[in-house]
Amino acid sequence: MHKIFGQYTLEKCLTNTRTMGWVNLLFLFSILASTMGNFVTGVGVLGFFRKRIVYKNEGSTTFSNKFLNHKKVITLSPGGFKGFHMMGTCKFIKENYCLENYVFSGASAGAWNCLVLSYKGESEHLEKVLLDGMFSENESLKMLELGVKERLLKNFNSDDFEIEKIFIGTTVFQNFKFKTVIHYGFEDLNDVIDCCIASSHIPFITGGLKFRYKGLANFDGGFSEFPYINNTKAMIHITPSIWSNDTITFSGATLNPQNLTTIKNMINKGYSDAELNRDKLDKLFNF
């Protein structure tokens, strides 16, 4: 059970999708084999996967952001397709609470939900743009992401989002080491979307082995232990099971229009679950 009070709760990407177990192993061994040319044992992988956080903004690896002074943080976990349930919760929060003094730090599905929280307009309009035409027969996850990017850039511009509030975590493999990189200070909406794609990249599932962003080989932020800004304690950590709802299911093996109904139901469920727990949210937001 995950709680929204107290310390962070970590929603591992391995528990969010049915495929992540073998994908994670494929990801690790593919990179290590291609770069080191030898076999690494499971123990070696675990030791090798201890990462440090590097905050990246225009090439800088030091974190000095005065914008964060006196700001509260909402962190958003990875979640696979269950991220749509998180989206419903984000919609409710955005519509019912003042987020002027908040920043949003997320990874993978949580990165995309940072866009939802940072959107200045009506959530329903953003949802419609995101979902319209999302699925077509035999469409790959890579094409799905590119389609979302195309629709967002066609219907919105940078001024429609508070992109300065967004902090996105990715997992980077560089110099034979894994590390967590938190990206911020985005140039424009296109830059943010590219970072969301980087933070959602699962090797051979959403494209090739790696996704290059800002000159780095980026992978799903869910592979990192803690892909969030860590200099400020989060006020709330949004996960697919934030409301202890462990019954969310989604069969995404085949992408087709029928799944769109399931996704809309997941968004509505996330919204209604948040509404049912409004008393908890009221306390958190001092409402």
Side-chain angles (χ1 to χ4, degrees):
M1 181 181 297
H2 297 266
K3 297 182 179 180
I4 56 178
F5 299 102
Q7 299 296 320
Y8 289 111
T9 57
L10 301 179
E11 185 72 15
K12 297 294 186 181
C13 211
L14 290 173
T15 64
N16 287 332
T17 63
R18 295 181 300 173
T19 60
M20 285 303 293
W22 67 266
V23 169
N24 192 30
L25 290 175
L26 179 63
F27 158 65
L28 289 170
F29 284 109
S30 296
I31 296 175
L32 292 170
S34 64
T35 55
M36 301 179 69
N38 61 354
F39 179 79
V40 180
T41 66
V43 174
V45 168
L46 291 174
F48 198 74
F49 205 59
R50 301 298 181 186
K51 297 167 291 297
R52 62 189 178 89
I53 292 181
V54 176
Y55 295 96
K56 186 172 180 63
N57 179 15
E58 299 178 356
S60 172
T61 56
T62 59
F63 188 67
S64 178
N65 192 325
K66 294 181 179 180
F67 179 73
L68 280 177
N69 289 345
H70 310 298
K71 291 290 192 300
K72 296 180 180 180
V73 180
I74 295 176
T75 54
L76 302 103
S77 81
F81 279 102
K82 294 180 183 179
F84 289 107
H85 182 272
M86 295 165 57
M87 181 178 173
T89 294
C90 289
K91 280 182 58 182
F92 181 83
I93 289 174
K94 181 179 178 297
E95 292 175 5
N96 291 277
Y97 301 98
C98 177
L99 301 180
E100 181 179 353
N101 199 41
Y102 290 83
V103 297
F104 318 116
S105 178
S108 195
W112 292 100
N113 277 307
C114 284
L115 274 175
V116 175
L117 288 175
S118 69
Y119 180 53
K120 298 178 182 178
E122 295 294 328
S123 299
E124 291 296 330
H125 178 52
L126 177 61
E127 178 183 335
K128 185 176 187 303
V129 171
L130 285 172
L131 299 186
D132 278 359
M134 173 170 281
F135 291 121
S136 63
E137 189 172 359
N138 298 322
E139 185 175 46
S140 67
L141 286 173
K142 178 180 179 180
M143 295 307 298
L144 186 151
E145 286 184 329
L146 292 178
V148 169
K149 176 180 178 178
E150 181 181 359
R151 292 193 299 277
L152 285 173
L153 293 178
K154 180 179 179 180
N155 290 274
F156 305 107
N157 58 53
S158 301
D159 293 334
D160 294 319
F161 297 84
E162 296 179 288
I163 60 177
E164 71 278 2
K165 290 187 173 185
I166 298 177
F167 297 77
I168 296 176
T170 66
T171 303
V172 168
F173 186 77
Q174 187 180 48
N175 298 326
F176 305 108
K177 295 181 180 179
F178 290 102
K179 59 186 177 183
T180 303
V181 175
I182 310 297
H183 302 269
Y184 67 102
F186 299 100
E187 298 172 5
D188 50 31
L189 180 58
N190 182 76
D191 189 21
V192 178
I193 297 171
D194 282 345
C195 194
C196 287
I197 294 175
S199 183
S200 306
H201 181 65
I202 304 171
F204 310 118
I205 299 297
T206 57
L209 174 62
K210 58 188 177 182
F211 182 88
R212 297 201 69 83
Y213 173 76
K214 298 296 185 183
L216 300 173
N218 287 267
F219 303 91
D220 196 296
F223 291 119
S224 292
E225 183 178 8
F226 194 82
Y228 319 106
I229 52 177
N230 65 349
N231 66 322
T232 307
K233 183 178 178 180
M235 190 281 302
I236 180 174
H237 184 54
I238 300 175
T239 77
S241 54
I242 183 173
W243 310 120
S244 302
N245 186 344
D246 298 321
T247 61
I248 307 169
T249 59
F250 178 82
S251 177
T254 303
L255 300 179
N256 56 61
Q258 284 71 33
N259 283 334
L260 188 58
T261 299
T262 303
I263 285 177
K264 289 180 178 179
N265 289 339
M266 290 173 67
I267 294 173
N268 293 336
K269 184 68 166 62
Y271 190 98
S272 62
D273 284 347
E275 190 171 25
L276 288 173
N277 288 274
R278 181 162 189 163
D279 57 331
K280 299 176 183 177
L281 290 172
D282 285 349
K283 292 178 181 178
L284 287 171
F285 286 97
N286 298 318
F287 188 74

